Structures are given as structure tokens and as C-alpha cells.
Amino acid sequence: MTGCDEVHDLLAVRVLGAVDEAEAGRVDGHLGGCHHCRAVARALAEAAGRLVAEVQPSSELWARIVADVDQLDDRIGTSSGHRFERALIPRRFPVIPGWAIAAAYDSADGQLFMAGDFYDVNRLPGGGVAVVVGDVSSAGPEGAVVAVSIRNALKMALWLDPDPARAITAVERVLAEEFRDAWARMTIAVAPPGAGTVRVLSAGAPEPWLVRAATPARVPRNRSLGIASGGSWNVADVPVERGETLVVLSQGVKESWPLDDDHDEPESAFLGLLGAGQRSYELVLQVVDVARSAAVPKSDLVVVALTRDR
Amino acid sequence: MDDFCDDDSLVARLVAHDRNAFEALYLRHCGAVVGLARLILWDDAVADDVAQNVFVDLWRRPSRFDPDRGSLANFLLLQTRGRAVEAIRSETSRQRREGTVARRNAVSAKGPEAGAVLLATRGRVRGSLQRLPEREREAITLAFFGGLTYREVAAVLGQPEGTIKTRIRAGLKRLRPALADLAQTSP
């Protein structure tokens, strides 16, 4: 731990940015835990602010910033931003107390949904949220029709009963005809309002990841939907700490992960992305950026991140 | 200013992707960000580019700002300083490659170029800096607007590093008299 004496000497040059990176790290680390030095630094920073005469920016500056930000947001749905208005992803994001949610759908070569991926984020009657990320085996318009059916049937089933095992059982039965020529993989994650566990069902889909631990959420695997009938579905209650994020991924993201030689798990470099301190929005952007750079061009990428409020 | 509208609360809303909070933060800080960028860069178009990047980056990665380590105002000014210095350095190296003479203050400044920074910023900073004793003003100008570390300032001015740190701190304290008491107490 760097002491007050050493840091005290550097505070003034730090607020001007006139230190090297190592010194900046030492000072900042100390400030996080020292109320006194923080107060001094704030006062020095305020003095430094007085060195700068405020000027009126050009009127186009804000418009240019908004254009950039719009472009960023076009790739992202979030719990308060604007939406894609399409059939396979939510038109609006619900605002769920206790959770910050962001999602990205990055479609192959700019064509939406031709690979049959879909996702949904729904508010439940009890105040919780249900997240679904999935894909169907057939691509093209036929696949899209099946995907829309599954998505809407699940929306209804989860609204009536938030237990993912019962919902998926009902959907498989109701849509039995649809599944003659197709099957589907999906992850369903149901978070009650404010509480710290998320009930997860993984049906043939990649396991979700827990960000702080940078590990798979360790949920039991199930068969894909539509390739058999009957049997029971395994679910897991995954504890999500305050500030922690559960990341639900589509198969396309998983396939674009640089995989470790020995394990079916991403390389640690990729996991670095899932490091601490990231919020949902930043995280989905980064995951999509990295996955897209490595992805098979034909695959869709879907990422939904659920961050529990601190 | 009520609790909901202080910078830290607005940044928290930024994390939840709240455009209104973003616009409020922009309106509050754009004058200083653009002001500093223009001071360092002297080219209003490039300064606007820097300011644009600073705010877009705040939107894209709001968690890079940590309220436990300082104020948002200071964070944004340091981002601006860093990006402006970067812009000058790449411009300078481009000019060197092309064999043209650096037109403006070269912030990678050693020796003679440092003099140019001092000369150039004169008259463009606030009166408050003008009122500081020459030595403090010179050290602060090189460090803040010249983009140098205090070690580089010490080398440029031929002074011990400790002296430069002391001058900078004394100068800042002079700008904000109430600071004198706070900074002298030891924990």
C-alpha cells in the first residue's frame, strides 16, 4: 500500500496529468482508500479546473457526438435506449428494478435473422425478468418463422409461469408440429426482482458466463428443443452477486471464441474481456467486437448481459 | 443542485444508458473540455475532434470514470489533455516525416520547443494563471498545457524534480486560497 506521504507529494502533478502511468496508478489506488488525500486531490483538481477558460463549443459538436453515439447504439439494445423494431428481438426493453440489462444482436453480413437466431427480454408479472437467447436449426425464412413461434410461445408461457422447465415443456408440446423439421437451442434465464439468484435452463446452448468469476455458470445441460419429446428439464439457480454480470451467449458467439487447446473453454485473453468493472453495455459491445473479428462470416451473434445493481 | 443531478449520479445514469443524463453532463462540461483542447491544440477543428472523442468515449465506457478517485471534471480534463497531446504528437511526427516544420507547439517538447509552448499559451489562459509568479506559471504551463510529466518539466527547465512538484503545488494552492489549509494538514 502506497503511503499518504509519498502520494501527498504527487497529488498536484497528478491532477494535471503530469505523472507517468505507474505513478498515476499508485496515486489513484491510494485515493480509492484514503478520504483525506481524496479531499486534497479534489481541491487541487478544482484549482486546476480554474486554469481552463470555458469556451462556447461550435453548435455542430453536440450533433456530431449524437451521431457517433447513435451509430454505437444501432448495434445494441439496452434497457433504456432505442430499439430494433423487428420480430425476433424485443421492440422495447423493460426496465427491471435491480438489474441493468443490455443486449447485442450482430447479424451475419448485415442481414437480420437469416441464421435463425433470436432473443427476448420480458418483464414478468411478479416484477422479475426473463431472458431468452436461442437459435433454430434451419436458416432462412423457414427458420425465422419457427424462431418467431418459439419466441412468442415462450413469452406467453413464462408470463403464465416463470419456471423455465415448465415453460419449455409447454412450448415443446404446443409447437410439436413446428419441430418436425427443425430443432432449437436456447438458454432461458429468469431473474426475480432484486434477488441474487437467476434460474437458468440451458437446452443445447452454450453455458452462460459469470463475469466476476470469469467462469461458466455451471448449469446442467439438456438436449435441444424439438429433437425428442418428454423427459424432464434440468435447471440451476445461479447466484449473482451485487455488481456481477451474467452473460448469456448464442452459439455463434461460442463458435467464434478462440478456444483453449485442452478445454472447451475460451482462451484467457478472451476472458479478460469479461473482467471486473465492466457494465452491461460496454460488455456486450466488447464481446460482439471480439467475436465478430473471429466469427465465421455467416453466423449471427447474440449477447445479453444482466448486471445486478450494486 | 439536488442529489439526482450531481455528476456522480448522472454518470450512474449513464451506465444505464440514459441520454438525458449524457446531455446534462455534456452541457455541464463541454465548455471546459473544448476550452482545454483549444488551449493545447490551437486548431479549433482538431480541438473539436478531441472533445467529440472525449464525450463519445464517456458514453461508450462510463465505468472508466471512478468517482472514488476524483471528480468527473478532472477526469474529463485529463482525458482531453491526453488526447490533445496525442493529436499533436502524431501531427508532429507526420510533419517530421514529411520534412515540414512543426507549425505549432511541439508537445514532445525538449529544450527550445518548450519555450514555444510557454510563449504560445501566453495570453490564451485565464487571468488567474497570469497572476502566478513566473516560476510557478512556467512549471504549470509546461505540465498541463505542454503535456509533459513533472520529470520532463524538470529536465527542460534544468531544475530538480522535487522543485517542480513544489512549484506546481504552490501554484495550484495560490489559485484556490482555501486549499492552503487543507493541503497543509497531515492525516
Side-chain angles (χ1 to χ4, degrees):
Chain A
M1 180 76 191
T2 310
C4 288
D5 286 346
E6 187 198 337
V7 165
H8 198 259
D9 207 30
L10 288 168
L11 287 176
V13 282
R14 170 62 185 138
V15 303
L16 297 185
V19 289
D20 63 36
E21 226 168 276
E23 285 169 324
R26 279 208 299 281
V27 173
D28 292 357
H30 179 81
L31 291 181
C34 178
H35 182 73
H36 175 82
C37 288
R38 200 154 66 225
V40 176
R42 281 214 176 227
L44 286 163
E46 197 198 306
R50 296 185 183 194
L51 294 167
V52 179
E54 294 192 14
V55 302
Q56 182 74 37
S58 74
S59 53
E60 297 103 64
L61 183 58
W62 176 242
R64 282 163 52 190
I65 290 170
V66 168
D68 275 7
V69 158
D70 279 345
Q71 210 180 355
L72 275 173
D73 284 358
D74 268 345
R75 302 169 48 201
I76 297 288
T78 71
S79 45
S80 58
H82 80 109
R83 304 289 79 78
F84 298 99
E85 298 211 339
R86 312 288 169 120
L88 289 174
I89 54 180
R91 282 171 188 270
R92 306 189 64 80
F93 259 55
V95 175
I96 309 294
W99 296 92
I101 304 168
Y105 188 123
D106 195 63
S107 58
D109 38 357
Q111 282 198 305
L112 283 176
F113 320 125
M114 296 318 275
D117 284 31
F118 61 95
Y119 79 91
D120 207 357
V121 178
N122 291 306
R123 191 187 179 113
L124 298 171
V129 60
V131 170
V132 179
V133 173
D135 66 306
V136 295
S137 56
S138 44
E142 298 82 6
V145 169
V146 179
V148 171
S149 305
I150 295 174
R151 179 174 173 268
N152 290 335
L154 263 178
K155 190 194 285 283
M156 170 70 94
L158 287 164
W159 192 83
L160 291 170
D161 179 351
D163 183 83
R166 285 194 290 269
I168 203 170
T169 302
V171 166
E172 195 173 44
R173 182 151 323 160
V174 166
L175 296 182
E177 288 294 312
E178 304 282 349
F179 289 124
R180 277 192 186 173
D181 309 312
W183 48 271
R185 290 181 284 235
M186 73 185 63
T187 305
I188 305 172
V190 176
T197 54
V198 178
R199 179 158 287 189
V200 179
L201 187 153
S202 168
E207 276 185 301
W209 283 71
L210 273 170
V211 162
R212 189 191 300 153
T215 56
R218 305 288 176 213
V219 300
R221 317 306 284 269
N222 294 283
R223 62 178 175 82
S224 295
L225 195 64
I227 56 173
S229 61
S232 60
W233 296 89
N234 298 309
V235 299
D237 287 326
V238 178
V240 179
E241 308 288 328
R242 289 190 182 281
E244 195 173 29
T245 304
L246 184 76
V247 188
V248 184
L249 308 154
S250 68
Q251 186 68 21
V253 175
K254 183 174 181 186
E255 282 167 5
S256 61
W257 275 342
L259 290 180
D260 193 283
D261 282 344
D262 304 323
H263 310 94
D264 191 24
E265 288 181 1
E267 278 175 357
S268 50
F270 189 79
L271 284 181
L273 278 184
L274 308 182
Q278 302 241 48
R279 309 311 174 103
S280 292
Y281 176 77
E282 306 170 59
L283 199 128
V284 297
L285 261 180
Q286 289 201 16
V287 169
V288 165
D289 279 348
V290 171
R292 178 52 72 205
S293 68
V296 197
K298 289 285 175 204
S299 76
D300 286 354
L301 305 171
V302 183
V303 186
V304 180
L306 279 135
T307 303
R308 194 177 161 208
D309 288 350
R310 281 174 197 284
Chain B
M1 203 187 298
D2 64 29
D3 283 349
F4 202 53
C5 283
D6 67 28
D7 277 351
D8 292 355
S9 317
L10 286 172
V11 173
R13 286 166 59 190
L14 214 53
V15 167
H17 236 58
D18 180 333
R19 284 281 183 103
N20 294 328
F22 185 52
E23 187 163 6
L25 287 170
Y26 172 79
L27 290 173
R28 193 171 294 166
H29 295 289
C30 66
V33 165
V34 175
L36 179 60
R38 288 191 187 169
L39 260 176
I40 296 176
L41 282 161
W42 308 18
D43 177 326
D44 291 358
V46 183
D48 278 8
D49 289 346
V50 165
Q52 181 178 352
N53 289 333
V54 166
F55 282 103
V56 171
D57 205 49
L58 178 68
W59 175 258
R60 190 183 164 116
R61 289 182 289 181
S63 62
R64 286 183 63 196
F65 165 64
D66 180 351
D68 286 345
R69 281 156 174 71
S71 63
L72 181 71
N74 191 238
F75 171 82
L76 291 174
L77 289 182
L78 294 188
Q79 297 291 311
T80 305
R81 173 186 180 273
R83 284 179 177 276
V85 167
E86 220 171 81
I88 289 191
R89 287 184 180 154
S90 63
E91 168 72 3
T92 306
S93 66
R94 189 185 65 77
Q95 287 172 339
R96 290 227 173 92
R97 273 199 313 279
E98 293 174 0
T100 51
V101 182
R103 288 168 293 143
R104 306 195 176 89
N105 54 336
V107 170
S108 49
K110 302 285 179 258
E113 290 171 333
V117 177
L118 292 178
L119 202 62
T121 35
R122 192 164 296 165
R124 293 177 57 107
V125 291
R126 260 194 179 176
S128 51
L129 184 60
Q130 310 282 29
R131 286 196 299 273
L132 293 183
E134 173 73 29
R135 290 169 158 188
E136 292 170 13
R137 183 170 73 230
E138 170 181 79
I140 288 176
T141 303
L142 286 171
F144 200 26
F145 308 122
L148 304 184
T149 66
Y150 71 90
R151 292 207 170 92
E152 291 167 332
V153 174
V156 164
L157 298 178
Q159 296 287 333
E161 291 171 3
T163 305
I164 298 305
K165 283 193 280 192
T166 307
R167 283 181 191 171
I168 288 175
R169 188 168 57 208
L172 290 183
K173 279 161 71 173
R174 220 182 288 275
L175 290 170
R176 192 180 179 287
L179 192 60
D181 308 331
L182 192 56
Q184 269 160 11
T185 38
S186 277

